[in-house]
Amino acid sequence: MIQVLSVENMRKSDLSAISGGTAGKELMLRAARGIFESVSWKGPVAIVCGSGNNAGDGYALALLLKEHSISCSLFLISEKFSEDGKYYFDKCIAEGVAHFLCGEDTSFCGYNTIVDCIFGTGFSGDVSGKAKEIIEKINLSNAFIVSADINSGLNGNSGMGKTSVISDITVSIGSFKPGHFLNAAKDCIKKTVNADIGIPPIEKPFYLIEKEDAKKAFPERKNFSNKSTYGYIALIGGSAKYAGAIFLASLSDAAMRSGAGVSKIAAPKSLLAALMPHILESTLFPLSESGGDIAFNETEARLLISSVKAIAFGMGIGLGDGAQRLLAFLLKNFTGTLIIDADGLTLLSKMPSEAIKSAPGKIILTPHNMEFSRLSGHTVDEILNSPIALAKTYAEKTGAVLLLKGPTTVITDGQEVYLCSKGCPGMATAGSGDVLSGILAALCGYNSNTLLAAYSAAFVNGLAGELAQKENGAVSMTAGDTVRHIPEAVKIITGESEEKL
């Protein structure tokens, strides 16, 4: 796992290091060295500086470039300096480093590399004025663009920003921040590396999931085992209005490809004929229905939950009274792991949060931003601007594991926070959430640790999606392509494949 620090945690940690005897000027020089060592430099280099410590990193970097005979110039958006930044700026002037004050006629023509040192991770809001004009010029240049710490214009906690630098590489300082991964970050950053400058975190960090972390969810399979060893699971969904027999089949296939012992699809009985041609390894459990929607039958429900370790509920199930009653029954009676997705989340949003907290089993919720808005009462904009804090608060309040889907997925139980950055644009297609639910149900069938299962499922799903996009392209790939690449993704994670991530 890789540590990820909130902006506040990084700021407190930085201040603690300084109060512990490490001078701010020394930390600034370490940051500059980290940036210098992370890039294959091609001069001439333009270093564009704002007014804070991020600019100071740029001034210290200019000295290192000059020391290594790499031509560079400073472009100042303002003539304001932090105390440590002024120290390195004055040294640049003494060393004869060229410097210019940015204006309307500023041009980066002739520069092979541009270093963005305008705003640091403390930036929030929207960029305006001269800074916005300069950022737009940077993005229109043909230069190789390096961002120091974070791309100017991006929020360090949320990854949101209407106008921001689009970098070829971003060198984070100290530790990664959430804003390197969340929301718009992936569209602004082609590559991210971290420069460790020796600042230990003061508060508990978040964690970015790696392959070795997801591997823990796949214990070695023994010869002396059988299908029950790896869990009976149920996938409950479907309605007459939801033309998704193939999606339900794909959901079940995703579960089986992820190692489920037995996958049981529970759907309105009128869907079974459409499902049967697509189901080979899975079993079917017919549910009573009324007008094509599930009609709650307690006897059926008790039989369904009697032998399964995990249930994924809600995919295409509709918002009828029968589905609502079945969900209420599961929340009150199921002692295994209940994953609630899609329509199930909308149904859940109509219930008191106490229904989640008092459930006898483990609950995992898998909303996207709109679904989380219904659950939490926060607006989508509020969630976009504070995804980790709001997800963590909701999970802590309800006792559920929350998997908030996005370009980078946030997984939390209210205490620990994990980020999974696996995934790609091609996954923005119908059925991708269903695939994740199938993978997650499978992993919950043979993992008692719901956090481990949740972040590992997100990793498998994202990696399989990336492999599918590599083969089919972002425009043409479908959720079914992701399912077909689950075996390859699992082999990479477990080490059975020699392919590198």
Side-chain angles (χ1 to χ4, degrees):
M1 293 183 182
I2 298 172
Q3 289 188 350
V4 179
L5 272 61
S6 70
V7 171
E8 297 77 16
N9 193 356
M10 192 70 243
R11 179 179 57 80
K12 291 176 183 178
S13 302
D14 188 72
L15 290 173
S16 176
I18 292 171
S19 65
T22 305
K25 295 182 183 67
E26 170 61 23
L27 293 176
M28 194 168 279
L29 183 57
R30 291 180 192 177
R33 285 186 182 132
I35 298 167
F36 180 80
E37 292 169 0
S38 299
V39 177
S40 297
W41 296 97
K42 184 178 180 181
V45 179
I47 304 176
V48 187
C49 299
S51 58
N53 281 335
N54 194 245
D57 297 341
Y59 302 140
L61 174 63
L63 293 170
L64 292 174
L65 290 170
K66 183 173 178 57
E67 183 182 322
H68 288 80
S69 302
I70 300 170
S71 174
C72 68
S73 302
L74 296 172
F75 287 81
L76 280 62
I77 289 182
S78 77
E79 293 181 289
K80 295 179 180 178
F81 307 90
S82 68
E83 181 180 348
D84 293 335
K86 184 66 163 61
Y87 170 80
Y88 284 109
F89 176 73
D90 288 344
K91 292 194 73 170
C92 286
I93 300 306
E95 291 291 331
V97 177
H99 64 285
F100 309 94
L101 185 62
C102 292
E104 290 183 6
D105 59 345
T106 296
S107 171
F108 298 113
C109 249
Y111 287 93
N112 289 311
T113 306
I114 300 175
V115 185
D116 156 34
C117 296
I118 302 171
F119 302 122
T121 56
F123 175 82
S124 61
D126 295 329
V127 182
S128 60
K130 186 187 292 186
K132 182 178 181 180
E133 294 172 7
I134 294 301
I135 286 174
E136 289 171 347
K137 288 183 178 183
I138 291 172
N139 289 340
L140 288 172
S141 74
N142 292 317
F144 183 87
I145 299 172
V146 181
S147 281
D149 207 1
I150 195 166
N151 300 42
S152 293
L154 282 184
N155 182 288
N157 279 332
S158 70
M160 292 293 287
K162 290 182 179 178
T163 301
S164 59
V165 171
I166 299 172
S167 68
D168 292 286
I169 184 170
T170 295
V171 184
S172 70
I173 306 301
S175 293
F176 288 119
K177 321 301 183 299
H180 290 121
F181 308 103
L182 297 170
N183 294 317
K186 283 188 175 181
D187 293 322
C188 298
I189 304 173
K190 294 178 184 176
K191 180 182 178 182
T192 314
V193 297
N194 184 63
D196 183 355
I197 60 172
I199 301 178
I202 293 300
E203 298 175 349
K204 182 186 291 186
F206 311 137
Y207 293 99
L208 182 70
I209 299 305
E210 299 179 278
K211 180 181 73 169
E212 290 304 312
D213 305 311
K215 183 179 180 179
K216 297 172 185 174
F218 295 93
E220 183 180 354
R221 300 226 157 182
K222 305 294 184 182
N223 289 298
F224 187 53
S225 64
N226 55 58
K227 59 188 178 184
S228 66
T229 308
Y230 303 106
Y232 284 65
I233 65 168
L235 311 171
I236 306 175
S239 65
K241 297 176 184 176
Y242 175 65
I246 293 177
F247 277 146
L248 286 173
S250 182
L251 171 71
S252 186
D253 192 17
M256 295 302 294
R257 298 286 186 184
S258 302
V262 175
S263 173
K264 183 187 303 183
I265 298 180
K269 57 185 178 183
S270 63
L271 293 183
L272 299 190
L275 276 166
M276 288 179 70
H278 305 287
I279 299 296
L280 296 177
E281 293 86 0
S282 304
T283 61
L284 297 172
F285 189 100
L287 296 173
S288 298
E289 63 180 284
S290 176
D293 291 330
I294 287 174
F296 177 66
N297 180 310
E298 185 170 339
T299 301
E300 289 177 355
R302 291 196 179 277
L303 180 60
L304 177 59
I305 70 173
S306 64
S307 61
V308 296
K309 292 183 178 180
I311 293 173
F313 175 92
M315 298 69 62
I317 206 167
L319 306 177
D321 178 68
Q324 182 86 53
R325 292 177 64 192
L326 179 54
L327 177 57
F329 173 86
L330 295 173
L331 285 167
K332 188 175 181 180
N333 295 278
F334 185 52
T335 58
T337 302
L338 176 61
I339 301 148
I340 305 175
D341 187 28
D343 290 338
L345 293 166
T346 302
L347 295 170
L348 184 65
S349 69
K350 301 174 183 178
M351 300 179 180
S353 59
E354 184 60 32
I356 307 171
K357 195 168 186 177
S358 62
K362 299 173 182 177
I363 308 297
I364 303 178
L365 310 178
T366 61
H368 54 57
N369 288 324
M370 180 59 74
E371 291 164 338
F372 186 46
S373 176
R374 296 189 196 108
L375 285 173
S376 66
H378 293 285
T379 66
V380 170
D381 279 346
E382 288 171 336
I383 294 165
L384 288 171
N385 285 294
S386 192
I388 293 178
L390 294 180
K392 188 178 178 183
T393 297
Y394 186 84
E396 185 176 16
K397 173 186 173 183
T398 60
V401 169
L402 186 73
L403 190 155
L404 181 59
K405 294 182 283 196
T408 286
T409 299
V410 178
I411 306 102
T412 179
D413 62 352
Q415 303 300 317
E416 305 291 339
V417 175
Y418 300 97
L419 304 177
C420 178
S421 66
K422 283 293 167 187
C424 56
M427 296 178 75
T429 186
S432 289
D434 295 347
V435 174
L436 173 61
S437 292
I439 298 169
L440 181 51
L443 267 59
C444 287
Y446 53 90
N447 283 283
S448 59
N449 185 329
T450 50
L451 264 177
L452 171 64
Y455 68 63
S456 299
F459 195 96
V460 172
N461 187 51
L463 177 54
E466 290 177 1
L467 294 169
Q469 179 173 294
K470 185 177 180 181
E471 179 180 295
N472 299 282
V475 173
S476 299
M477 72 172 279
T478 66
D481 295 324
T482 299
V483 174
R484 285 190 288 277
H485 284 83
I486 289 173
E488 185 180 358
V490 172
K491 285 173 66 178
I492 291 171
I493 291 167
T494 59
E496 295 177 72
S497 170
E498 294 181 359
E499 183 168 337
K500 305 292 185 182
L501 284 184

